[in-house]
Amino acid sequence: MPEKLIISSHTGRTVLRNNEEFLVFAGTAYLGIPQNEVFRKLLMEGFERFGTNYGSSRNGNVVFDIYEEAEAKLAEMVGSDSALTVSSGMLAGQLVLRQFEDHAHLFISPGIHPALRPLNYQSRIQTYEHWTDHVLKELKSHKFPEAVIFLNTIDILQAKRYDLSWLQNLPNDLRLIIVIDDSHGFGLIGEQGAGHWPQLPKSPTIERIMVSSMGKALGLPGGIIAGSENRVNKIKSDGVFVGGSPLVPAYLHAFVNAQSIYEDERQKLRTIRTHFAILIDSLKKTITSEGLPVFNINNNGITEKLLHHHILLSSFPYPTPQSEPVTRVVLNSTHTKEDVEQLANALLTYL
């Protein structure tokens, strides 16, 4: 296993390691929100108004108004009827899984996040393409009373977007539920950061649900469930939701008031990603990406070489500690043109 690189501070584009500054191309804060000065000011406003934490139940008789305000904004952003915030993306996934795992037939895509995978579940299908073929065949040959399809939208480690077009071929004579994990798309991809929700089929026989961490592009320590008002209300009555503390309200205050910040940072990231992609175009057999701010590098030895140039990449074994490292460049909107040029020059030298 590669050595863990312990750092003592993080500016978004640089870190301190052993009191030395390194350019860093890792993490998931794609829009640089944790280091955004204007967002931090909004967060401080939220702390002044709501305090640093709120440990009560959302089903209590005294509840802050910011939750409904933020959830209405999130539903509008996604394009769903309703939305619900919780304290983590993991909890969002678990709450949705609890809605179905004891009675529905579940189709679970390879590589799904553990939050959406039943305990001890083992998939016998290795590739996404084979799995989609299997799902379509099963749905056309069996009349399940209720079937739920769980799938990722992005393989962020391989810097690939999953093809969702096959969902348009689902049968229309069954009650189906599609659950997508859009943690690496929501807030980043599509108009106003809507993510992949607009790509899901609209049909009276298909229910759509999105779960997502909000700790990636949006920079919020929480999770979201988006879907129908009926589904959201059912989840609100789940004892796990009732008994859990909610997302810190100050962050939702910052989110509601930061919409122009998010749009500006999305544009900055698009510009810096395009510039970097042009610079490394000659390396496209070794470095791959499907329109994402993440680039997979098929050369694990590069990390040690770049370390000598004070450049840190994302590189760690996956899916198990015994696996080969997955090495990636992760860009965010705090990176400058000079940063990615320095990185590109180093990659062109060694690859």
Side-chain angles (χ1 to χ4, degrees):
M1 179 184 294
E3 174 192 3
K4 284 191 179 293
L5 303 176
I6 308 301
I7 62 173
S8 55
S9 73
H10 201 313
T11 69
R13 50 178 290 275
T14 64
V15 297
L16 276 184
R17 178 175 181 257
N18 297 329
N19 291 320
E20 294 183 64
E21 187 177 63
F22 289 73
L23 273 176
V24 62
F25 297 92
T28 59
Y30 305 119
L31 302 183
I33 297 301
Q35 283 78 31
N36 186 287
E37 291 186 11
V38 181
F39 187 89
R40 286 180 175 184
K41 289 178 181 177
L42 292 171
L43 184 56
M44 291 306 297
E45 285 180 10
F47 285 141
E48 288 295 325
R49 180 174 169 184
F50 301 107
T52 60
N53 192 33
Y54 182 63
S56 187
S57 170
R58 285 283 303 276
N59 283 35
N61 64 320
V62 179
V63 183
F64 285 128
D65 56 0
I66 192 62
Y67 288 103
E68 288 193 1
E69 183 181 356
E71 287 162 354
K73 175 64 71 176
L74 285 162
E76 177 186 345
M77 185 175 170
V78 176
S80 61
D81 294 336
S82 188
L84 183 65
T85 58
V86 293
S87 58
S88 72
M90 175 67 80
L91 180 57
Q94 288 285 286
L95 284 167
V96 169
L97 179 62
R98 284 168 58 86
Q99 293 282 298
F100 307 109
E101 66 177 331
D102 65 346
H103 66 276
H105 187 88
L106 309 182
F107 292 102
I108 299 175
S109 69
I112 198 76
H113 192 279
L116 291 171
R117 190 172 61 221
L119 189 64
N120 299 322
Y121 174 81
Q122 295 291 331
S123 174
R124 290 172 293 179
I125 302 174
Q126 299 301 314
T127 71
Y128 178 76
E129 290 74 20
H130 288 159
W131 176 78
T132 60
D133 289 343
H134 167 76
V135 173
L136 290 174
K137 288 177 182 176
E138 286 289 296
L139 290 176
K140 288 176 181 177
S141 60
H142 295 82
K143 298 300 181 185
F144 300 106
E146 184 175 70
V148 189
I149 301 168
F150 292 91
L151 67 160
N152 286 330
T153 58
I154 293 174
D155 180 346
I156 202 63
L157 293 174
Q158 299 301 322
K160 293 170 58 177
R161 296 176 69 173
Y162 287 112
D163 179 13
L164 303 181
S165 63
W166 67 277
L167 294 171
Q168 305 299 328
N169 298 324
L170 292 172
N172 57 14
D173 59 344
L174 296 175
R175 171 167 161 66
L176 301 175
I177 298 100
I178 299 172
V179 179
I180 59 169
D181 177 356
D182 207 13
S183 293
H184 294 276
F186 180 56
L188 180 66
I189 289 170
E191 187 175 351
Q192 296 183 323
H196 291 81
W197 180 272
Q199 295 184 32
L200 301 182
K202 297 179 181 179
S203 167
T205 61
I206 296 176
E207 179 184 351
R208 299 172 293 166
I209 302 173
M210 182 200 80
V211 299
S212 176
S213 164
M214 294 195 291
K216 319 299 185 193
L218 296 184
L220 309 176
I224 174 180
I225 301 166
S228 68
E229 185 174 356
N230 181 54
R231 179 61 62 190
V232 166
N233 285 336
K234 285 182 178 179
I235 293 171
K236 283 181 178 179
S237 67
D238 187 318
V240 171
F241 174 78
V242 175
S245 297
L247 195 160
V248 176
Y251 281 91
L252 293 179
H253 169 84
F255 163 76
V256 167
N257 292 283
Q259 297 308 300
S260 62
I261 296 174
Y262 288 124
E263 188 52 45
D264 288 347
E265 297 306 313
R266 279 190 286 266
Q267 184 55 53
K268 286 180 188 177
L269 182 57
R270 284 191 288 267
T271 299
I272 208 71
R273 187 212 174 275
T274 299
H275 183 56
F276 179 67
I278 292 170
L279 291 173
I280 61 164
D281 183 65
S282 63
L283 300 175
K284 55 190 173 186
K285 289 186 178 179
T286 306
I287 303 179
T288 57
S289 177
E290 295 184 0
L292 300 167
V294 180
F295 295 75
N296 181 274
I297 304 179
N298 186 25
N299 184 320
N300 291 326
I302 193 66
T303 55
E304 192 66 29
K305 294 174 181 176
L306 266 57
L307 198 59
H308 295 300
H309 292 264
H310 280 219
I311 297 173
L312 300 184
L313 302 182
S314 171
S315 184
F316 57 91
Y318 191 86
T320 72
Q322 291 74 41
S323 302
E324 283 294 308
V326 178
T327 300
R328 301 171 302 151
V329 169
V330 184
L331 302 179
N332 68 62
S333 63
T334 70
H335 287 126
T336 66
K337 182 179 177 183
E338 291 73 24
D339 292 340
V340 298
E341 287 174 353
Q342 182 178 340
L343 172 60
N345 288 335
L347 292 171
L348 289 165
T349 298
Y350 291 113
L351 293 179

